[in-house]
C-alpha cells in the first residue's frame, strides 16, 4: 500500500484541493455565539467570578518589583554594567553629548570616572569619525565645512572639539 494512499481510493492531496475555500476559511461565528469572547463584565451569562482588576494590577506590580529586587540583589541586573555596555557600544561613533542623552533616556547617569574617560578621548574619537566619513582632505569651501560641522554635531560632539578637529585638518 502506498503511503499517500489512504485505503479508500482517494489521494489526500487531491482531496485537500477539492475542498472549497469557503469551508477552509470559515469564521467561527459571531462573538455572541462564543462564550467568554467580547462579553461585558456586567453580563449575567459571563462565566466565572468577577475579577477585581485593581487588585490584580497591584498584585502583578508587586510581583514585578520583587523580581527586579531579586535580580539586582543577585547582580543579574546592574545599572553600572548597563552604563559601561552602552558607553562601550557608542563611544566609537558618538560624542559625549549623544551618549549622555541616550543614558538619560534610559533613566541612568554617567558616573564621574566614565565621564572623565569620555572627555579625555573625545577629540580622538571625533577625529576618527570625521576621517571615516570625509577622508583626510580638508573641506573645500565654507558650505562643505558647515556640512561637516553639522554632521559631527549631530553625532553628539561638542562645538569646541569639532572646531579643533576641522582646524587641525586644515593645517
Amino acid at each position: 500500500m502506498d503511503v499517500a494512499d489512504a485505503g479508500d481510493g482517494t489521494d489526500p492531496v487531491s482531496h485537500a484541493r477539492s475542498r472549497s475555500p469557503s469551508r477552509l476559511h470559515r469564521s467561527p461565528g459571531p462573538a455572541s455565539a462564543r462564550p467568554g469572547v467580547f462579553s461585558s463584565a456586567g453580563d449575567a451569562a459571563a462565566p466565572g467570578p468577577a475579577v477585581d482588576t485593581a487588585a490584580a494590577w497591584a498584585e502583578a506590580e508587586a510581583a514585578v518589583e520583587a523580581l527586579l529586587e531579586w535580580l539586582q540583589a543577585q547582580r543579574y541586573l546592574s545599572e553600572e554594567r548597563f552604563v559601561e555596555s552602552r558607553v562601550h557600544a557608542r563611544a566609537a561613533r558618538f560624542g559625549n553629548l549623544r551618549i549622555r542623552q541616550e543614558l538619560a533616556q534610559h533613566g541612568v547617569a554617567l558616573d564621574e570616572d566614565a565621564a572623565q574617560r569620555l572627555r579625555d578621548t573625545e577629540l580622538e574619537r571625533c577625529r576618527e569619525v570625521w576621517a571615516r566619513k570625509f577622508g583626510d582632505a580638508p573641506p573645500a569651501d565654507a558650505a562643505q565645512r558647515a556640512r561637516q560641522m553639522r554632521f559631527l554635531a549631530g553625532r553628539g560632539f561638542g562645538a569646541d572639539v569639532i572646531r579643533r578637529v576641522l582646524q587641525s585638518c586644515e593645517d
Side-chain angles (χ1 to χ4, degrees), residues 130 134-141 144-145 148 165-171:
W130 174 81
F134 300 107
D136 289 332
D141 57 358
Q144 188 72 359
R145 181 180 175 87
Q148 292 180 10
V165 166
L166 291 178
Q167 284 174 355
S168 70
C169 78
E170 291 174 353
D171 293 340

Side-chain angles (χ1 to χ4, degrees), residues 63-126:
V64 168
E65 286 298 322
L67 177 64
L68 289 174
E69 288 174 9
W70 183 84
L71 288 171
Q72 286 177 343
Q74 300 298 318
R75 306 243 334 125
Y76 290 118
L77 188 63
S78 169
E79 286 185 5
E80 293 85 21
R81 281 199 322 264
F82 175 76
V83 168
E84 288 174 15
S85 172
R86 183 59 49 177
V87 167
H88 178 72
R90 299 294 191 208
R93 294 176 39 211
F94 298 109
N96 296 354
L97 299 173
R98 173 82 176 259
I99 293 171
R100 286 179 189 268
Q101 185 261 337
E102 282 188 18
L103 291 173
Q105 282 181 338
H106 290 287
V108 293
L110 201 58
D111 63 341
E112 191 56 40
D113 293 336
Q116 185 61 41
R117 284 192 307 268
L118 282 177
R119 275 191 298 266
D120 293 343
T121 62
E122 188 173 28
L123 182 63
E124 293 84 26
R125 290 183 293 121
C126 183

